[in-house]
């Protein structure tokens, strides 16, 4: 409860500072809208269904790409940890590609798949696979066989969590640059807000993206991590 109150006070303070910065007119309200303006955009987008529809489209794309990326990355990471040859080849490749910004996959995706859902899916998968391979390799097959299975589980969850974060970033980049008619996601709202100089929309959508990321961590990954650490006594703080 104390942590919740402190966090609430912190964010209230941030919004208050934001409000007074706008009042000080350091920047034009076109460039930095007020918290009230952003709140009005979010309320309006929620009422007309735009925000919900975009969120559903984005989350659907994210889940599909993430699941495929996990299905590829987890076994590949386990095999990499079990073989010196795989470590020196696939492991090095994964390390290099994991550092590649997600936006770099978009030109390839557009050339290979065009302005399609497949292009977005490809970018999300590429953003997921290599981070999962690296994180899974850290707690890989040798720990499953030579130590105990539970010792590896926190590493695997960590790999999945990291893969989710990279998938999320990759999808946002893809939605900003790939224009398709099969569904407008949060990245598209962000892009069109920038094109129209509607900064209340840009900031509002950014806040929604951050909120979804936080909720995913708190609702999905954090409970699993706490359970594993409690169950196997690995001392999570």
């Amino acid at each position: 409860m104390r942590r919740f109150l402190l966090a609430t006070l912190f964010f209230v303070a941030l919004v208050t500072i934001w409000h007074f910065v706008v009042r000080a007119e350091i920047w034009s309200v076109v460039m930095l809208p007020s918290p009230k303006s952003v709140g009005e955009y979010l309320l309006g987008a929620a009422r007309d269904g735009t925000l919900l529809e975009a969120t559903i489209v984005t989350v659907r794309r994210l889940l599909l790409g993430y699941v495929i990326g996990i299905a590829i990355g987890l076994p590949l990471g386990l095999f990499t940890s079990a073989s010196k040859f795989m470590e020196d080849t696939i492991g090095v490749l994964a390390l290099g590609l994991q550092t590649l910004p997600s936006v770099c996959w978009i030109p390839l995706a557009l050339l290979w798949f065009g302005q399609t859902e497949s292009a977005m899916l490809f970018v999300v998968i590429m953003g997921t696979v290599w981070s999962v391979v690296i994180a899974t390799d850290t707690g890989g097959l040798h720990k499953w066989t030579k130590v105990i299975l539970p010792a590896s589980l926190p590493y695997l969850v960590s790999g999945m969590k990291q893969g989710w974060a990279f998938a999320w970033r990759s999808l946002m980049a893809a939605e900003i640059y790939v224009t398709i008619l099969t569904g407008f996601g949060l990245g598209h709202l962000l892009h069109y807000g920038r094109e129209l100089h509607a900064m209340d929309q840009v900031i509002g959508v950014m806040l929604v993206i951050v909120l979804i990321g936080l909720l995913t961590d708190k609702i999905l990954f954090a409970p699993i991590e706490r359970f594993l650490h409690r169950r196997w006594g690995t001392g999570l703080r």
Side-chain angles (χ1 to χ4, degrees):
M1 187 62 178
R2 180 174 177 272
R3 293 178 61 185
F4 174 77
L5 290 175
L6 288 175
T8 300
L9 289 174
F10 172 74
F11 287 110
V12 168
L14 284 182
V15 173
T16 302
I17 292 171
W18 175 9
H19 170 75
F20 282 110
V21 169
V22 174
R23 288 285 299 274
E25 298 183 351
I26 299 174
W27 295 282
S28 165
V29 292
V30 175
M31 301 301 296
L32 182 64
S34 67
K36 180 182 177 182
S37 177
V38 173
E40 288 173 348
Y41 163 75
L42 289 174
L43 185 60
R47 282 176 174 170
D48 65 21
T50 301
L51 198 59
L52 178 61
E53 182 179 350
T55 300
I56 291 173
V57 169
T58 292
V59 171
R60 184 178 66 240
R61 289 170 177 157
L62 179 64
L63 288 175
L64 180 58
Y66 176 70
V67 168
I68 295 175
I70 289 292
I72 297 172
L74 279 177
L76 196 57
L78 293 174
F79 284 125
T80 299
S81 69
S83 165
K84 183 63 177 174
F85 173 76
M86 292 283 284
E87 180 72 34
D88 294 338
T89 54
I90 300 299
V92 173
L93 176 65
L95 183 61
L97 292 180
Q98 193 264 347
T99 62
L100 190 68
S102 303
V103 70
C104 294
W105 291 108
I106 294 176
L108 278 179
L110 289 174
L111 287 172
W112 289 348
F113 304 103
Q115 300 276 2
T116 64
E117 288 283 351
S118 298
M120 290 195 183
L121 187 62
F122 173 78
V123 174
V124 175
I125 293 172
M126 289 298 102
T128 305
V129 167
W130 308 114
S131 58
V132 172
V133 169
I134 292 172
T136 305
D137 182 21
T138 304
L141 193 60
H142 62 285
K143 286 185 174 67
W144 286 61
T145 56
K146 296 182 181 179
V147 189
I148 49 175
L149 173 62
S152 289
L153 293 179
Y155 293 99
L156 299 181
V157 174
S158 176
M160 295 174 68
K161 182 177 179 180
Q162 187 176 16
W164 176 271
F166 277 91
W168 188 232
R169 297 169 191 170
S170 301
L171 179 57
M172 288 301 98
E175 286 191 341
I176 288 173
Y177 289 102
V178 180
T179 303
I180 58 177
L181 300 178
T182 53
F184 294 103
L186 293 172
H188 293 112
L189 290 181
L190 196 64
H191 171 68
Y192 293 133
R194 178 182 65 85
E195 290 290 312
L196 297 171
H197 299 286
M199 292 304 296
D200 54 347
Q201 178 172 327
V202 171
I203 295 176
V205 173
M206 289 175 64
L207 291 175
V208 172
I209 292 170
V210 170
L211 180 61
I212 292 174
L214 289 174
L215 289 176
T216 300
D217 179 70
K218 297 299 183 183
I219 295 174
L220 180 61
F221 291 109
I224 296 175
E225 288 177 322
R226 285 196 297 269
F227 169 77
L228 290 176
H229 284 287
R230 283 199 306 267
R231 176 65 179 82
W232 307 113
T234 49
L236 179 67
R237 292 185 297 174

